[in-house]
Amino acid sequence: MGTDLQSVLLTKQEIDAKLVELAAKIDAEYAGKDLLIVGVLKGAVMVMADLARALSTPVTMDWMAVSSYGAGTQSSGVVRILKDLDTDIKGKHVLIVEDIIDSGLTLSWLLSNLGSREPASLEVCTLLRKPDAAKVAIDVKWIGFDIPNEFVVGYGLDYAEKYRNLPFVGTLAPHVYGG
Ligand code: XMP
Ligand code: MG
């Protein structure tokens, strides 16, 4: 797996199984409703693609790109919109799909931003969460895995734009980011 990676945290099989499990719960929640799933670029691309295909509920998909990290591994708390939604979400059932909640600062900002657009409902599904890194409390309805407070890559997650295409989630060796 290359010397930059330390270990495999979640295999492709574990991720696939979890997304099928989450999709069943999301299907049950939104039965008979129109659902818009919003992926947060770029990290959530893999989760969106696999979760969307595991859902039976017909959905529309939109994307937002925000930046809070730069090339490093620490959240700055300063969020910029790099790409806004293409659609008006007023009156719609919106589900934000995230790769990871670390400090929670990005998501907390996103929730208040999207919440102010008056959606019919607004919930969050994240593949990963680091409970020990939380700086703000966020109500997240669907969580794939709680993971230790270590920098992870793969399955959409990057370090300096690398490793996004790994089919699994792995931990990065500390020497790579100077830890
Ligand atoms: P916060 O701290 O605001 O972070 O919850 C949210 C965004 O930061 C990125 N992030 C990571 N990316 N490995 C990554 O590759 C990580 O361990 C990690 N932690 C946070 C991610 O884009 C997330 O949406
Ligand atoms: Mg990211």
Side-chain angles (χ1 to χ4, degrees):
M1 73 177 86
T3 54
D4 289 351
L5 294 181
Q6 188 162 255
S7 64
V8 175
L9 197 61
L10 299 165
T11 64
K12 181 181 188 307
Q13 289 72 21
E14 288 171 317
I15 296 168
D16 287 347
K18 184 60 78 175
L19 290 179
V20 166
E21 189 187 312
L22 289 174
K25 293 179 183 167
I26 293 169
D27 278 334
E29 179 76 20
Y30 295 98
K33 293 178 182 163
D34 287 327
L35 176 62
L36 170 69
I37 55 176
V38 171
V40 185
L41 294 168
K42 304 170 193 171
V45 165
M46 306 299 178
V47 191
M48 275 285 270
D50 288 341
L51 179 71
R53 285 177 289 185
L55 289 169
S56 307
T57 307
V59 296
T60 50
M61 298 166 82
D62 204 344
W63 301 89
M64 224 170 141
V66 297
S67 162
S68 66
Y69 265 54
T73 61
Q74 289 294 304
S75 188
S76 65
V78 180
V79 179
R80 271 191 311 143
I81 295 184
L82 304 178
K83 184 222 166 288
D84 207 339
L85 298 175
D86 293 334
T87 45
D88 183 3
I89 61 170
K90 187 168 180 171
K92 292 185 183 162
H93 294 285
V94 177
L95 175 63
I96 300 174
V97 177
E98 265 284 23
D99 48 356
I100 189 165
I101 303 172
D102 194 299
S103 68
L105 293 169
T106 307
L107 188 59
S108 149
W109 181 90
L110 204 55
L111 279 169
S112 73
N113 184 289
L114 295 188
S116 72
R117 305 182 196 191
E118 299 175 47
S121 67
L122 181 61
E123 299 292 351
V124 180
C125 175
T126 185
L127 179 69
L128 309 172
R129 180 178 66 171
K130 295 181 188 171
D132 297 341
K135 289 189 182 149
V136 281
I138 303 179
D139 192 18
V140 179
K141 192 148 190 164
W142 295 287
I143 298 161
F145 302 93
D146 276 331
I147 62 168
N149 193 6
E150 286 175 69
F151 200 78
V152 293
V153 296
Y155 200 73
L157 291 152
D158 72 302
Y159 175 69
E161 296 300 328
K162 293 196 288 184
Y163 313 110
R164 291 193 197 276
N165 63 317
L166 295 176
F168 56 87
V169 172
T171 56
L172 199 56
H175 75 82
V176 179
Y177 56 91

